Amino acid sequence: LAGAYVLFTVGWIIGGLRLQGASQVLIGPVGYQAALWTAVAAPLLWFVGVYVLTRASKTWVRVTWLFAGLALLAPWPFLMVAAVGMVAS
């Protein structure tokens, strides 16, 4: 599952950078950069947090939290832009 979280991080980077031009209408550049890098860090932080906080728990608890993170942290900008094509800036 660690590999999936790394791929999600890469997906957030690619998807977020592809939407950077289109997002300038809605949010300022500083706010966009802050949101982008928070989204990029979220999958890795979730994985490390689950790993550390469920160290003493049963295996099924850790696996459940890891799958919940995969569902919550899907890189939607990458998935949507890849399905539709490049967003015109």
Side-chain angles (χ1 to χ4, degrees), residues 1-29:
L1 287 176
Y5 279 94
V6 171
L7 289 175
F8 275 21
T9 299
V10 172
W12 275 108
I13 292 170
I14 293 170
L17 292 177
R18 282 178 131 184
L19 292 176
Q20 189 169 11
S23 69
Q24 301 272 331
V25 174
L26 301 173
I27 189 170

Side-chain angles (χ1 to χ4, degrees), residues 19 36 50-51 56 66 81 84:
L19 292 176
L36 172 66
V50 167
Y51 188 75
L66 288 173
V81 171
V84 176

Side-chain angles (χ1 to χ4, degrees), residues 9 12-13 34-48 73:
T9 299
W12 275 108
I13 292 170
L36 172 66
W37 294 113
T38 302
V40 167
L44 294 178
L45 291 173
W46 184 282
F47 181 80
V48 171
L73 299 171

Side-chain angles (χ1 to χ4, degrees), residues 47-86:
F47 181 80
V48 171
V50 167
Y51 188 75
V52 170
L53 295 173
T54 61
R55 205 172 336 166
S57 300
K58 296 184 186 255
T59 304
W60 71 268
V61 173
R62 178 179 290 172
V63 171
T64 301
W65 280 109
L66 288 173
F67 277 115
L70 289 177
L72 292 171
L73 299 171
W76 290 110
F78 176 76
L79 296 174
M80 298 308 289
V81 171
V84 176
M86 190 68 171

